Amino acid sequence: MSTWIPLLGRIFLAAIFLKSGIDKLLNPDLARTLIASTGLPFVDVALWLTVVGLIGGGISILVGWKMRYGAWFLIGFLIPTTLIFHTDFSDRSQEIAFLKNLGLMGGLLMALGSSPGIWSFDGHEGPR
């Protein structure tokens, strides 16, 4: 059972990043509008960096290849994203999104302290 737990954890953790990146890839206008609403410059650059980062980081976690780099990148992505998009605590959905992102960062930090498991491209057993 312990050989399957890291794989299941990686699948569950990667799913939200992959889904979000694919959604932005398939509907860039919605993502572009949301980014522009914050007043951030270089909306198109931010959008494509987001898409590449979410999908690339998600794949890294999913397959267990350079998982630590993927986790660090996604944490680095989540910190400003959370602070820019999810701090209107008068909106219950934004409060939930803020807490969800904290939970994701917690999961990514746990991934940093563990091995991707034997069912991964890196295939290490034990923390590195």
Side-chain angles (χ1 to χ4, degrees):
M1 181 74 161
S2 65
T3 60
W4 294 99
I5 290 173
L7 174 62
L8 291 172
R10 290 195 332 267
I11 291 169
F12 294 159
L13 186 56
I16 195 165
F17 297 109
L18 292 169
K19 171 86 167 84
S20 181
I22 291 167
D23 286 350
K24 287 170 180 56
L25 181 65
L26 297 178
N27 191 356
D29 291 335
L30 178 62
R32 203 176 276 116
T33 300
L34 182 60
I35 294 168
S37 74
T38 66
L40 288 173
F42 310 111
V43 172
D44 285 331
V45 172
L47 171 63
W48 294 112
L49 285 174
T50 298
V51 168
V52 169
L54 288 171
I55 294 173
I59 289 171
S60 170
I61 300 293
L62 178 67
V63 302
W65 182 73
K66 305 295 182 188
M67 183 178 77
R68 294 171 60 102
Y69 293 118
W72 275 121
F73 178 84
L74 290 169
I75 290 169
F77 167 80
L78 281 170
I79 291 170
T81 300
T82 302
L83 295 174
I84 292 168
F85 293 98
H86 303 302
T87 53
D88 179 6
F89 297 125
S90 65
D91 179 349
R92 182 80 171 135
S93 66
Q94 293 306 312
E95 182 181 3
I96 292 168
F98 182 90
L99 292 170
K100 173 209 46 128
N101 283 4
L102 289 182
L104 287 170
M105 285 187 261
L108 291 165
L109 287 170
M110 290 177 70
L112 286 172
S114 65
S115 163
I118 60 171
W119 297 105
S120 67
F121 276 93
D122 286 344
H124 297 289
E125 196 57 44
R128 294 181 291 164

